[in-house]
Amino acid sequence: MKTNDVIFQTVAKVVFFMIIFFAVHLFFAGHYYPGGGFVGGLLTSGALVLLLLAFDMKTVQRGFPVDFKWLIGIGLLFSIGTAAGSLLFNVPFFTHAYNYFQLPLFGKTSLHTAMLFDLGVYLVVIGVTMTIIQTIGESE
Amino acid sequence: MIEIVLQISLLLLAASMLGLVYRLVKGPTVPDRVVALDAMGVNLVSITAVLSMLLHTSNYLDVILLIGILAFIGTVAFAKFLEKGEVIEYERDR
């Protein structure tokens, strides 16, 4: 039986960007407000799951030609790199550093190396979730 | 004054949640239960909003949006499973 779900596909295309923007907001707000890498990554993979529901696996893989297993490795590399980078400055493992910078668009902003660690968590969560879902969905 | 109003509204929301639980348990068909779960998600959103007003905090506002998104994705997944028998298909129109 062929089904025609135009409404769902159109809604999914719009809502996908809303969820992605909300996930990015949660990711960047994580230092001062509730949120962070874990929730942001989970919500990003939720947006990708919405696309998987609206379309099919092949279309989504063509739209995002990313092997999600690589994201796990890249994320772990980011986290361990941030943790090991502190060894270069003769401070204990996992010591973070921060400073205030004058950015052109944002004004005075505090940049923290914990954000890089959080980026690793974000990528690992996306990779793990999408790998699990794609592996389960592919089996026929 | 506003606290009493908020507490009364929490009580009413809890009562409507109980009605939805009744439909969830009793519902003769599966779509009845899915719609009850979706409405429970909406109720949960309003309970979180009222609670964040009662606690004088704005930190729960992210949770509201999160519950809305998750309820939407969950309901859509259930609906697709009921219609096609599989949630994520490999290739459409085959």
Side-chain angles (χ1 to χ4, degrees), chain B residues 41-57:
Chain B
V42 176
N43 251 347
L44 219 54
V45 165
S46 33
I47 285 176
T48 316
V50 171
L51 214 58
S52 76
M53 283 181 75
L54 260 177
L55 296 177
H56 297 292
T57 171

Side-chain angles (χ1 to χ4, degrees), chain A residues 3 5 8 53-54 56-57, chain B residues 76 80 83-84 89 92:
Chain A
T3 53
D5 32 37
F8 178 38
L53 287 171
D56 49 329
M57 191 100 66
Chain B
V76 158
K80 193 166 176 191
E83 190 188 350
K84 293 195 175 171
E89 53 211 321
R92 189 172 277 244

Side-chain angles (χ1 to χ4, degrees), chain A residues 34-45:
Chain A
F38 188 78
V39 190
L42 225 51
L43 210 56
T44 309
S45 47

Side-chain angles (χ1 to χ4, degrees), chain A residues 2-3 5 8-9 11 19 22 26 34 39 43 46 50 52-58 133 137 140, chain B residues 59 61-63 65-66 69-70 72-73 76-77 80 83-84 86-94:
Chain A
K2 265 195 173 177
T3 53
D5 32 37
F8 178 38
Q9 289 186 348
V11 166
I19 302 178
F22 181 49
L26 273 183
V39 190
L43 210 56
L50 184 67
L52 278 179
L53 287 171
F55 301 96
D56 49 329
M57 191 100 66
K58 229 175 168 180
I133 288 171
E140 287 193 24
Chain B
N59 286 339
L61 297 185
D62 286 343
V63 178
L65 204 48
L66 205 63
I69 290 168
L70 289 184
F72 174 64
I73 293 178
V76 158
K80 193 166 176 191
E83 190 188 350
K84 293 195 175 171
E86 59 179 341
V87 179
I88 297 171
E89 53 211 321
Y90 182 66
E91 196 175 357
R92 189 172 277 244
D93 299 332
R94 196 167 36 170

Side-chain angles (χ1 to χ4, degrees), chain A residues 53-113:
Chain A
L53 287 171
F55 301 96
D56 49 329
M57 191 100 66
K58 229 175 168 180
T59 315
V60 175
Q61 272 173 355
R62 207 162 48 228
F64 297 90
V66 181
D67 189 0
F68 288 102
K69 287 188 279 303
W70 275 86
L71 281 189
I72 305 174
I74 293 171
L76 286 177
L77 209 64
F78 255 103
S79 296
I80 199 72
T82 314
S86 59
L87 289 178
L88 293 178
F89 300 98
N90 268 334
V91 283
F93 193 60
F94 253 117
T95 307
H96 286 293
Y98 71 98
N99 208 346
Y100 291 93
F101 292 98
Q102 202 71 32
L103 293 184
L105 208 58
F106 299 102
K108 189 183 174 194
T109 320
S110 87
L111 296 181
H112 204 296
T113 52

